[in-house]
RNA sequence: GGCGAUGUAGCUCAGUUGGUUAGAGCAUACGGCUCAUAUCCGUAGUGUCCGGGGUUCAAUUCCCUGCAUCGCCA
């Protein structure tokens, strides 16, 4: 069997974050699982480096687009090894081969008549340097520049996507696993129930030069998807390399839900137009929220892969992300949740099981794998559980239900712990009659651990390697062979390693919901009506912020749009327009609620609120002196 | 505005093709063991299964409606 698994190529206008890491860990885990299953596997990731946002970001950073994309692309590439992610190929859309082949494909599709030249009329904002959709406008204005966009005409090239609509609907219906999980398939089918518009695939060089020139018209560059999606082909050396012939028809793409439409609609129709088979499967996952809030730069709650590895280590991060998210749904990330998984699942259940088993083999079995005797019911039950687990595990891994795969493994971990208690080897040793079962007990225990290590390998490569080393086994061979019961050779020397996973303290000052109450009853007490507990108050995060900008919101008498530093920059809409003039506000230090759920007011997203006192008809901002540092907590 | 999804124990979720006591993990309390990373095993709970209405001998499960959250579309 052959497997080609990809992540999206990540857009380099921002640094890598948790979401990128998740997609890539999923793809890596799947690649490792397929390799373990004996497949010929290729795993590709990379970066998307063209377009106007890149030019803007480069300008903002004061460097050329090329040096900017080189720098950020390297950030992505370097994020993966610490997470034990090992792609076979890292593609960049600025690679020469990619550019050359994108042009060849454009030429081909153009030659056969699926690309045409046409005029487009749209709402263009000078400030944003882009077209806006009706939907984005607020009261007819650009939301960022508060000016009406100009209606302008622009000529561009279009891809006749609509030609392939019926074919695509049919393909999705006759291949139920083409888009998974099913909710996303349904979403796309519903989208396809309306006629497809053709896809604009160019930008005039008068507006954008940082892109791949169209081969048939050098006054235009390729726009976004016709450049980006094709990476999945050019990364295989399309059209001539034999890698293409080997890996293309089996391609599986991992994406987050935000780029569902390009992958589920644009990409298959593009492939069809090129005369190629569509990919095999699209695996769509949800978002990681930070606690309650969405992850966003302006909220300053973006977690980078680097910090996560430094704090928890690759194995724990990988385990947590795969175990805690139901693939396809959104999930929430918090340091507390990671520590919880690490302590209970990893340290207590698996780590301690491994540790206690090897210690006893050292103590009671002379540090060698014993010869098993005649198994009793309790022994064969454990072996049966392992075999059943491998089957469930394989199925769930294949279907991208990683949390269920891991759940199945941990059921066996639990059974093994129980097996120890039920046998109580420390008592067996003392009883001549019982003693003869001891070898069987430890053989079955060690075999279970060997099989658990095997299952855990794609998710936690380091921990699995430690377990293998301790058990004195290797992982050469495929899953079906290795998972067979009884491969562990009696007489093999066992060496107890350092603990697999350390226990972590529940951590971190500030946000921490206070450690255990001395009087536990008190913690649960509900506050009398009308009062809140200290803990409830503690959830409100008040901070000092400096107003750095203020403007009126059109059509609103009461609202001002404030830009503040807290210390990160954020926008807060405040109902103080009747009491303060915008020009009087910059420089003032006020108190804001920093962890208020973001909301839209008159179409303007607001991240927090400003405290003010209401004195009759007057409204007075709660201010603090300038010597108080911006960002200070107020309590 | 249209379409759809979700709403179950303190938390994260599973489940019920309608039928006696609605489940798992975590968290909590108590008990047991001592090989182990103060770990493991056992026991104990609590739920208007979002609100309202309907169908039915019987609804958390089906239907309608409302509310909340989220997604897609316009």
């Amino acid at each position: 069997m052959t497997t080609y698994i990809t992540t999206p190529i990540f857009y380099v206008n921002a640094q890598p974050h948790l979401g990128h890491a998740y997609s890539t860990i999923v793809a890596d885990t799947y690649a490792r699982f397929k390799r373990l299953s004996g497949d010929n596997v290729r795993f590709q990731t990379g970066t998307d480096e063209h377009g106007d946002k890149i030019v803007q970001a480069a300008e903002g950073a004061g460097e050329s687009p090329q040096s900017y994309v080189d720098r950020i692309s390297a950030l992505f590439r370097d994020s993966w090894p610490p997470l034990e992610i090992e792609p076979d190929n890292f593609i960049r859309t600025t690679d020469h081969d990619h550019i050359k082949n994108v042009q060849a494909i454009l030429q081909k599709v153009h030659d056969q008549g699926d690309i045409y030249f046409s005029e487009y009329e749209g709402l263009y904002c000078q400030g944003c340097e882009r077209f806006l959709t009706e939907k984005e406008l607020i009261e007819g204005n650009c939301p960022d520049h508060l000016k009406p966009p100009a209606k302008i005409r622009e000529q561009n090239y279009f891809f006749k996507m609509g030609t392939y609509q019926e074919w695509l609907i049919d393909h999705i219906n006759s291949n139920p696993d083409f888009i998974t999980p099913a909710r996303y398939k349904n979403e796309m089918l519903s989208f396809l129930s309306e006629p497809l518009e053709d896809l604009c695939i160019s930008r005039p060089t008068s507006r954008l030069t940082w892109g791949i020139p169209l081969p048939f018209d050098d006054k235009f560059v390729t726009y976004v998807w016709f450049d980006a999606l094709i990476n999945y082909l050019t990364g295989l050396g399309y059209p001539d390399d034999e890698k293409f012939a080997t890996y293309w028809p089996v391609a599986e793409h991992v994406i987050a839900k935000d780029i569902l439409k390009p992958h589920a609609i644009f990409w298959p129709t593009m492939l069809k137009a090129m005369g190629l088979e569509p990919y095999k499967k699209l695996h769509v996952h949800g978002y990681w929220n930070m606690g309650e809030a969405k992850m966003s730069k302006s909220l300053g709650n973006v977690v980078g892969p680097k910090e996560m590895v430094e704090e928890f280590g690759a194995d724990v991060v990988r385990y947590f992300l795969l175990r805690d998210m139901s693939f396809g749904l959104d999930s929430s990330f918090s340091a507390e949740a990671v520590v919880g998984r690490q302590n209970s699942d990893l340290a207590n259940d698996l780590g301690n099981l491994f540790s206690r088993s090897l210690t006893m083999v050292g103590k009671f079995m002379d540090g060698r794998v014993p010869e098993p005797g005649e198994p009793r019911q309790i022994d064969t039950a454990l072996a049966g559980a392992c075999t059943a687990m491998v089957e469930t595990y394989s199925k769930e891994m294949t279907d991208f239900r990683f949390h269920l795969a891991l759940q199945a493994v941990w059921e066996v971990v639990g059974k093994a712990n129980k097996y120890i208690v039920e046998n109580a080897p420390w008592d067996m040793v003392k009883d001549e009659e019982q003693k003869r079962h001891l070898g069987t007990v430890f053989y079955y225990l060690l075999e279970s651990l060997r099989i658990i290590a095997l299952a855990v390998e794609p998710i936690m490569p380091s921990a699995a390697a430690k377990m293998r080393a301790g058990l004195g086994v290797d992982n050469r061979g495929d899953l079906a062979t290795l998972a067979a019961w009884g491969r562990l050779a009696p007489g093999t020397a066992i060496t107890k390693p350092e603990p697999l996973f350390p226990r972590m303290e529940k951590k971190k000052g500030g946000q921490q919901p206070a450690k255990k109450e001395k009087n536990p009853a008190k913690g649960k007490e509900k506050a009398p009506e009308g009062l809140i507990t200290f803990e409830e108050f503690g959830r409100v995060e008040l901070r000092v912020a400096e107003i750095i900008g203020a403007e009126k919101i059109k059509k609103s008498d009461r609202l001002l749009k404030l830009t503040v530093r807290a210390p990160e920059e954020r926008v807060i809409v405040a109902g103080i327009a009747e009491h303060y003039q915008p020009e009087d506000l910059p420089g003032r230090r006020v108190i804001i609620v920093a962890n208020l759920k973001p909301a839209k007011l008159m179409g303007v997203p607001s991240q927090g609120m400003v405290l003010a006192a209401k004195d009759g008809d007057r409204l007075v901002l709660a201010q603090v002196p300038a010597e108080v540092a911006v960002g200070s907590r107020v309590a």
Side-chain angles (χ1 to χ4, degrees):
Chain A
M1 295 273 280
T2 313
T3 295
Y4 175 38
I5 183 80
T6 70
T7 73
I9 45 173
F10 300 118
Y11 204 49
V12 293
N13 68 336
Q15 305 210 348
H17 58 63
L18 179 59
H20 301 121
Y22 177 70
S23 297
T24 314
I25 286 169
V26 163
D28 182 76
T29 297
Y30 188 68
R32 286 175 186 270
F33 168 70
K34 284 294 185 178
R35 272 194 201 103
L36 182 63
S37 307
D39 277 22
N40 171 4
V41 176
R42 184 175 174 84
F43 162 31
Q44 173 172 300
T45 185
T47 45
D48 181 11
E49 309 183 6
H50 289 127
D52 38 18
K53 287 209 181 106
I54 302 296
V55 176
Q56 282 166 19
E59 269 168 18
E63 49 188 322
S64 71
Q66 187 63 57
S67 87
Y68 175 81
V69 297
D70 286 348
R71 189 165 61 80
I72 307 291
S73 178
L75 277 181
F76 276 91
R77 183 196 295 264
D78 297 343
S79 290
W80 307 142
L83 279 164
E84 309 218 44
I85 294 167
E86 296 170 354
D88 299 297
N89 190 32
F90 188 96
I91 191 170
R92 301 181 54 186
T93 54
T94 50
D95 290 342
H96 284 303
D97 282 355
H98 175 76
I99 293 171
K100 192 183 77 193
N101 286 316
V102 165
Q103 289 181 321
I105 289 168
L106 282 163
Q107 186 69 55
K108 179 184 158 88
V109 176
H110 181 256
D111 288 349
Q112 72 189 38
D114 277 335
I115 290 176
Y116 65 93
F117 192 56
S118 175
E119 197 164 67
Y120 167 88
E121 187 180 74
L123 302 163
Y124 188 79
C125 173
Q126 283 296 341
C128 302
E129 295 185 17
R130 68 182 186 97
F131 285 96
L132 305 174
T133 61
E134 292 281 354
K135 186 171 149 187
E136 287 176 280
L137 302 185
I138 313 258
E139 306 284 331
N141 288 330
C142 163
D144 293 333
H145 298 87
L146 302 172
K147 283 187 298 198
K151 224 177 203 185
I152 67 165
R153 288 169 170 276
E154 187 171 283
Q155 293 188 308
N156 263 314
Y157 285 89
F158 292 83
F159 167 54
K160 286 189 189 169
M161 199 156 64
T163 310
Y164 302 102
Q165 179 160 8
E166 289 310 313
W167 164 80
L168 180 57
I169 292 172
D170 190 55
H171 185 79
I172 293 173
N173 281 323
S174 49
N175 295 276
D177 287 341
F178 187 57
I179 302 168
T180 69
R183 50 190 324 192
Y184 296 110
K185 177 182 84 169
N186 297 339
E187 200 172 299
M188 286 301 97
L189 282 172
S190 130
F191 179 74
L192 283 167
S193 63
E194 304 280 324
L196 271 187
E197 282 179 31
D198 290 343
L199 185 65
C200 181
I201 60 156
S202 68
R203 284 292 180 270
T205 50
S206 57
R207 237 169 18 88
L208 175 69
T209 54
W210 185 245
I212 300 178
L214 293 186
F216 39 82
D217 190 339
D218 62 9
K219 293 188 295 302
F220 291 86
V221 295
T222 316
Y223 189 62
V224 193
W225 296 109
F226 239 85
D227 169 358
L229 289 165
I230 289 172
N231 89 84
Y232 299 130
L233 296 177
T234 55
L236 295 175
Y238 172 85
D240 300 322
D241 197 292
E242 67 182 36
K243 287 197 292 293
F244 171 68
T246 308
Y247 294 109
W248 177 249
V250 296
E252 296 180 58
H253 303 308
V254 175
I255 62 164
K257 62 184 181 181
D258 57 334
I259 48 175
L260 172 59
K261 208 192 296 175
H263 281 80
I265 312 280
F266 304 173
W267 183 221
T269 55
M270 284 165 61
L271 287 162
K272 185 71 179 164
M274 288 172 216
L276 295 178
E277 287 290 304
Y279 53 82
K280 186 168 131 200
K281 279 187 188 179
L282 184 64
H283 302 277
V284 189
H285 68 75
Y287 290 149
W288 280 100
N289 296 321
M290 305 309 295
E292 295 296 293
K294 288 201 170 163
M295 188 163 50
S296 79
K297 255 195 287 180
S298 51
L299 282 177
N301 62 0
V302 175
V303 180
K306 202 174 149 215
E307 295 79 61
M308 291 192 330
V309 177
E310 278 167 8
E311 192 159 357
F312 301 109
D315 280 340
V316 175
V317 171
R318 292 172 65 109
Y319 175 81
F320 175 80
L321 294 181
L322 294 170
R323 177 65 185 80
D324 243 49
M325 177 176 265
S326 295
F327 190 87
L329 303 178
D330 290 357
S331 200
S332 81
F333 179 92
S334 70
E336 288 76 18
V338 180
V339 171
R341 286 287 181 196
Q342 165 158 6
N343 285 346
S344 66
D345 295 6
L346 297 178
N348 293 354
D349 292 350
L350 178 56
N352 183 56
L353 169 67
F354 188 68
S355 168
R356 68 197 300 209
S357 303
L358 296 211
T359 300
M360 283 189 282
V361 171
K363 223 178 244 183
F364 303 140
M365 293 284 117
D366 222 12
R368 299 204 169 265
V369 177
E371 190 82 46
E374 190 62 30
R376 302 153 300 164
Q377 204 274 327
I378 190 176
D379 307 314
T380 50
L382 182 64
C386 287
T387 308
M389 175 273 275
V390 171
E391 197 169 315
T392 310
Y393 162 87
S394 299
K395 174 150 190 7
E396 303 296 9
M397 290 292 281
T398 304
D399 293 341
F400 274 61
R401 287 188 289 261
F402 305 103
H403 70 296
L404 294 181
L406 286 167
Q407 200 172 297
V409 177
W410 255 255
E411 264 173 44
V412 168
V413 171
K415 281 180 178 154
N417 268 321
K418 196 166 177 172
Y419 179 78
I420 293 178
V421 173
E422 282 171 348
N423 280 294
W426 48 92
D427 287 337
M428 282 180 146
V429 179
K430 300 173 194 153
D431 182 330
E432 279 311 313
E433 166 64 18
Q434 294 290 310
K435 208 169 175 176
R436 63 195 178 90
H437 293 306
L438 217 47
T440 312
V441 168
F442 284 114
Y443 187 87
Y444 274 64
L445 204 47
L446 293 172
E447 257 303 77
S448 300
L449 282 168
R450 186 184 66 79
I451 290 169
I452 289 166
L454 200 58
V456 145
E457 171 105 45
I459 295 99
M460 299 188 284
S462 298
K466 277 192 211 165
M467 291 179 75
R468 281 202 314 273
L471 296 167
V473 297
D474 63 41
N475 62 344
R476 283 192 295 266
D478 62 28
L479 182 63
T481 315
L482 291 170
W485 187 265
R487 286 180 54 87
L488 199 52
T492 307
I494 296 300
T495 43
K496 186 183 174 182
E498 288 302 293
L500 295 177
F501 307 99
R503 280 184 62 80
M504 280 195 101
E505 288 306 309
K506 290 261 180 189
K507 33 172 334 199
K508 249 187 190 176
Q511 309 262 21
Q512 191 60 333
K515 46 193 163 182
K516 273 192 188 171
E517 296 274 341
K518 280 176 194 138
N519 176 358
K522 220 171 190 176
K524 283 183 185 166
E525 221 168 49
K526 284 234 170 103
E529 204 165 338
L531 299 178
I532 61 172
T533 63
F534 181 75
E535 199 184 5
E536 283 164 334
F537 170 72
R539 293 182 57 215
V540 181
E541 189 184 341
L542 300 173
R543 270 199 257 157
V544 174
E546 182 185 359
I547 300 178
I548 56 176
E551 50 189 301
K552 290 208 154 173
I553 290 178
K554 288 259 170 76
K555 294 272 185 181
S556 169
D557 299 330
R558 295 181 44 243
L559 299 181
L560 288 184
K561 177 179 163 188
L562 306 177
T563 309
V564 304
R565 284 194 309 122
E568 78 287 348
E569 213 170 279
R570 55 167 88 194
V571 170
I572 294 181
V573 177
I576 54 171
E578 289 164 330
H579 307 274
Y580 288 90
Q581 292 306 310
E583 55 272 20
D584 295 339
L585 291 168
R588 296 191 188 218
R589 288 190 185 198
V590 295
I591 299 175
I592 65 165
V593 180
N595 59 346
L596 194 66
K597 188 177 169 192
K600 262 195 183 178
L601 297 165
M602 294 295 282
V604 182
S606 176
Q607 297 148 345
M609 67 177 278
V610 177
L611 297 193
K614 187 160 187 178
D615 175 12
D617 288 339
R618 289 199 311 151
L619 199 58
V620 184
L621 288 173
Q623 292 196 65
V624 296
E627 69 257 25
V628 180
V630 161
S632 307
R633 276 297 288 267
V634 179

